[in-house]
Amino acid sequence: MEASKVIHAIYTDDDILMSAVKSVKAQKHHIEEIYTPFPVHGLDKAMGLAPTRIAITAFLYGLVGLVVSVVMMDYIMIEDWPQDIGGKPSFSYLENMPAFVPIMFELTVFFAAHLMVITFYLRSRMWPFKKAENPDPRTTDDHFLMEIAVHGNTDELENLLKETGAVEINIIDKEDAH
């Protein structure tokens, strides 16, 4: 059954990979995944992936950190245990806010950074002790792999990939690939 098969095209140069992705997309083939040893600038746009919304979550996590810092400092330094530090009594939060700015900044960054890492791991399904899903170990060193689903067009795809500069083309069962 050809529907469960994929073609793995291996490239040795990121510039050749980028032009190959553009050629494959121009021929209306669907690229399942691309494995690279390092991030390739512009590859997401060439593949037609939607822009990420992770920056929005970073901003929201920073706001959470800012709110937590303001509430925490107001409660601790003004309500719960007010102290006269250096002759400056703690009558209100606004009078003492300039002294609290570094804490507000640090907690904003702390919340944004830590919650972003957690979000990244959850979104990419990278659990602790998860087995790697890399189909070819060479893609962690110096090779690039393009995975394309086969739908009865094996010869056409192989010819197209050879023209784009693939150094190796393998047809693999999807169940065996991962």
Side-chain angles (χ1 to χ4, degrees):
M1 179 175 191
E2 287 229 357
S4 67
K5 292 184 183 286
V6 292
I7 287 185
H8 285 174
I10 297 179
Y11 297 87
T12 55
D13 185 77
D14 57 332
D15 293 329
I16 296 172
L17 172 75
M18 280 295 288
S19 64
V21 167
K22 291 173 185 170
S23 299
V24 168
K25 292 300 280 184
Q27 296 294 321
K28 306 287 190 231
H29 295 289
H30 176 69
I31 299 171
E32 295 286 328
E33 189 66 68
I34 295 180
Y35 299 89
T36 63
F38 54 83
V40 178
H41 181 70
L43 187 59
D44 53 342
K45 286 186 179 77
M47 287 179 64
L49 299 177
T52 180
R53 296 182 304 264
I54 205 153
I56 297 168
T57 61
F59 178 74
L60 295 176
Y61 293 153
L63 283 180
V64 169
L66 181 64
V67 169
V68 166
S69 69
V70 168
V71 170
M72 178 190 75
M73 288 182 299
D74 182 53
Y75 175 72
I76 292 172
M77 299 299 291
I78 307 300
E79 305 296 329
D80 184 40
W81 195 3
Q83 299 175 43
D84 188 348
I85 301 172
K88 298 176 185 172
S90 300
F91 295 127
S92 73
Y93 182 82
L94 287 177
E95 287 176 325
N96 292 292
M97 196 179 77
F100 296 154
V101 168
I103 300 166
M104 294 163 48
F105 171 76
E106 291 298 333
L107 279 179
T108 300
V109 172
F110 178 86
F111 270 69
H114 286 79
L115 291 174
M116 284 302 298
V117 168
I118 293 168
T119 301
F120 171 75
Y121 284 135
L122 291 175
R123 186 71 179 107
S124 62
R125 294 183 170 86
M126 290 177 66
W127 320 116
F129 311 109
K130 182 178 185 226
K131 186 179 180 293
E133 295 180 4
N134 193 346
D136 191 328
R138 294 178 293 177
T139 60
T140 62
D141 187 23
D142 60 351
H143 285 67
F144 304 84
L145 186 142
M146 183 189 313
E147 183 177 277
I148 305 170
V150 175
H151 300 290
N153 53 356
T154 310
D155 295 333
E156 174 195 343
L157 267 174
E158 280 190 59
N159 291 334
L160 174 63
L161 294 170
K162 282 178 188 171
E163 288 173 15
T164 61
V167 294
E168 187 179 321
I169 298 171
N170 303 313
I171 300 174
I172 297 173
D173 282 328
K174 185 101 171 154
E175 290 79 33
D176 298 336
H178 299 290

